[in-house]
Amino acid sequence: MKDAYDVIVVGAGPAGSVAARFAAEGGASVLLIEKRQEIGDPVRCAEGIGAIDLNRFIDIEPRLVASQIKGATIYVPDGAPIKMRAKDENQTYGYILERKIFDRALTERAAKAGADVYTKTTATGLIMKDGRVTGVKVKRLGVEKEIAANIVIGADGVESKVGRWAGINTTLKPVELESGVQYLMTNVDVDEDNVEFFMGNQYAPGGYVWIFPKGPGRANVGIGLLGSKVKDGARPIDFLNAFIEKRFPEGKIIEMNYGGIPVSGGLVDLYRAGLMLVGDAGHLSDPITGGGIKHGLWSGELAGLNAAQAVKEGDFSEKSMKRYQKAWHDKCGKLMKRNLILKEYYIDMSDEEANKLAKLLEDIDFTDVLDVGQLVKVLVKVDKKLLLKLGANQLGF
């Protein structure tokens, strides 16, 4: 391990690996570190992503994909299911990944671009000089070391320490954080090309239950509950177990994962002089779905490109790092704002109100309604309160 790099990326998830790749491809010397001994493990994710978003960052190989998704079904209490399906049955609009393989493939691509990669290497602090981040303190195999860098990219997840060390307020309120639990199950009866979502207080107060198929008889079955909705000792795992007892009484759990999911719409500040935060470290997951892979890939690319440009210019000031935040907001700001409004609107909806809304949607054709933006277009036609909440200038279509 060298004593100095242009860029150090802390965390080798999708956001970190993509950031390392684009910085290296842009000519920067890059170090990518990961505290765990294995990249991609444990999986803290439902593993779903849209096809378009995935194709931009990696070649689709069978080993990366557990199932191809062609439709989705949303259930509310007592309401007719909302079934969304591609008109062309040959069209794949999403994938359920094998994250343990996918994450490593992204890291391999960063390494091929020139990045040095070290696992079992923990960041223990930042090196600061004259108010600017100038490197990282690390511990690897019991040995402590200081490594200089012109830029540090924090990709260390929702529990990120990098941002806090740099003086960024990363505190999340209960209403901004979901607690997630997921089982990988076998011996379950699922449609292999259709994802399912279950909403309502009986399933998941302030959240939803998901079923993401992973091949014949296998699925990720999980739940995300908003912290502000978890009361009287109720735990996400209790709601999930109750759901599984009814839906998959013969199912077998072969893996369990859990963790926090930021749904705040993103940090106010994603940068400091010599520092950028990407993915969940910047709280950039989708506020309404909690999905983080796509936003991790996008933010990683933008941060990596900005890092390479800053190295070429020799400018590591706050102004230089702020270009990344502007690029992020130009790409995703409107979408994030819209979905945050959607989240805040629907978390307080009663089951009775949800059922009434589902009733209004019974005669709607959801063919080729395949993402949140398209679904919102349909919803605002029948839910005038939502239209007023969003405002014409905030729809983000």
Side-chain angles (χ1 to χ4, degrees):
M1 189 183 299
K2 297 188 295 187
D3 295 326
Y5 290 84
D6 292 323
V7 180
I8 297 177
V9 182
V10 181
S17 289
V18 168
R21 168 197 158 188
F22 279 95
E25 287 180 347
S29 61
V30 179
L31 171 65
L32 174 62
I33 64 172
E34 168 57 49
K35 66 181 179 181
R36 296 182 179 87
Q37 65 184 21
E38 292 184 51
I39 291 168
D41 193 11
V43 174
R44 292 184 176 180
C45 175
E47 303 183 277
I49 187 172
I52 295 175
D53 303 307
L54 186 60
N55 286 330
R56 288 198 59 250
F57 293 94
I58 198 165
D59 295 330
I60 308 299
E61 303 176 50
R63 68 189 183 104
L64 305 179
V65 175
S67 58
Q68 299 182 34
I69 301 304
K70 302 179 186 294
T73 306
I74 301 174
Y75 297 89
V76 298
D78 302 325
I82 299 171
K83 296 184 178 182
M84 300 181 288
R85 193 79 181 177
K87 186 179 295 184
D88 180 1
E89 281 296 316
N90 294 318
Q91 178 185 354
T92 296
Y93 83 91
Y95 297 96
I96 308 302
L97 301 170
E98 292 290 1
R99 276 289 304 271
K100 294 177 184 179
I101 302 174
F102 173 73
D103 284 20
R104 293 170 194 175
L106 290 177
T107 304
E108 288 174 15
R109 190 153 185 180
K112 289 178 180 178
D116 289 344
V117 181
Y118 284 88
T119 58
K120 212 165 179 59
T121 304
T122 302
T124 59
L126 295 176
I127 304 169
M128 307 285 294
K129 184 178 181 181
D130 299 328
R132 181 170 76 82
V133 176
T134 58
V136 180
K137 300 174 184 178
V138 305
K139 186 174 183 179
R140 184 171 192 269
L141 303 178
V143 178
E144 296 183 355
K145 183 180 178 68
E146 292 190 358
I147 309 173
N150 293 314
I151 298 171
V152 174
I153 297 176
D156 50 335
V158 63
E159 70 277 8
S160 175
K161 295 180 180 178
V162 171
R164 295 202 303 273
W165 290 333
I168 296 174
N169 182 5
T170 61
T171 305
L172 283 165
K173 301 174 184 176
V175 74
E176 298 173 331
L177 181 68
E178 284 194 348
S179 296
V181 181
Q182 177 175 271
Y183 297 139
L184 173 59
M185 298 190 67
T186 189
N187 199 38
V188 293
D189 183 17
V190 294
D191 292 332
E192 293 178 33
D193 64 356
N194 190 72
V195 295
E196 298 178 80
F197 302 94
F198 297 79
M199 306 178 70
N201 291 316
Q202 66 171 292
Y203 297 121
Y208 63 92
V209 173
W210 63 82
I211 300 174
F212 283 13
K214 293 199 69 176
R218 299 172 72 242
N220 285 331
V221 185
I223 189 171
L225 289 187
L226 205 59
S228 59
K229 294 288 185 177
V230 179
K231 300 176 181 178
D232 302 323
R235 302 178 303 169
I237 197 170
D238 297 327
F239 284 95
L240 181 59
N241 288 340
F243 174 83
I244 286 172
E245 285 177 11
K246 292 181 180 179
R247 179 62 188 267
F248 299 122
E250 302 302 319
K252 303 296 182 182
I253 298 167
I254 57 176
E255 187 174 308
M256 181 176 76
N257 297 293
Y258 56 88
I261 307 166
V263 287
S264 65
L267 292 172
V268 174
D269 294 322
L270 297 171
Y271 67 96
R272 287 289 187 267
L275 177 86
M276 292 176 280
L277 299 179
V278 297
D280 281 359
H283 301 173
L284 300 181
S285 54
D286 190 291
I288 192 166
T289 68
I293 303 176
K294 174 176 71 176
H295 290 185
L297 297 173
W298 286 353
S299 60
E301 177 185 15
L302 295 173
L305 290 172
N306 192 52
Q309 183 179 350
V311 168
K312 289 177 181 177
E313 296 171 349
D315 182 1
F316 314 109
S317 64
E318 280 202 3
K319 183 178 180 181
S320 175
M321 299 299 100
K322 189 176 182 178
R323 292 184 307 209
Y324 155 64
Q325 178 149 320
K326 183 180 185 304
W328 169 259
H329 283 296
D330 287 347
K331 184 176 183 65
C332 297
K334 204 169 185 179
L335 179 149
M336 293 285 275
K337 188 174 184 179
R338 181 201 70 194
N339 287 3
L340 184 60
I341 293 171
L342 284 170
K343 184 202 83 171
E344 293 171 348
Y345 180 65
Y346 283 116
I347 61 173
D348 291 325
M349 181 176 284
S350 67
D351 285 355
E352 183 180 4
E353 290 170 324
N355 289 331
K356 288 180 179 178
L357 178 58
K359 191 72 175 176
L360 294 172
L361 295 170
E362 283 184 351
D363 297 326
I364 302 293
D365 182 5
F366 285 93
T367 303
D368 282 343
V369 176
L370 301 175
D371 61 29
V372 173
Q374 293 171 325
L375 179 59
V376 173
K377 283 184 179 181
V378 176
L379 291 175
V380 295
K381 292 178 181 179
V382 299
D383 189 346
K384 302 307 178 186
K385 290 182 181 179
L386 175 59
L387 180 61
L388 291 172
K389 271 280 185 183
L390 289 170
N393 65 331
Q394 294 178 357
L395 292 177
F397 302 135

